[in-house]
Amino acid sequence: MSTLETLAFVAGVSLGVVGLSTAGVMIAGPFGEDWVRRGKQIAKNTVLGVIILASANMVVAFLISQLGPSFCT
């Protein structure tokens, strides 16, 4: 894995941690029903984004192996 890929992965996971922390504060805080609803939405979107980020390298590697190296030249 190259340095740029590693940096992008670590940055994405870090944003995921920040997103889930923000959602947790919004859900657990005494801000009201609207904040809880928004916090749940942020948590759902953050988890989905982290899953996509974690699986992106695997999906690209699979597509390259199936389509062949002539496609990626």
Side-chain angles (χ1 to χ4, degrees):
M1 192 183 279
S2 72
T3 305
L4 185 60
E5 290 175 21
T6 305
L7 180 64
F9 184 76
V10 169
V13 170
S14 299
L15 285 174
V17 169
V18 169
L20 285 176
S21 298
T22 303
V25 168
M26 290 175 76
I27 292 169
F31 303 116
E33 187 66 31
D34 190 42
W35 283 70
V36 171
R37 192 175 312 112
R38 181 78 175 129
K40 287 179 181 179
Q41 185 69 31
I42 289 172
K44 184 178 78 169
N45 291 340
T46 301
V47 168
L48 183 63
V50 169
I51 290 171
I52 290 171
L53 175 71
S55 64
N57 192 23
M58 179 181 61
V59 169
V60 170
F62 174 76
L63 289 175
I64 289 173
S65 70
Q66 292 299 311
L67 296 175
S70 62
F71 181 73
C72 298
T73 57

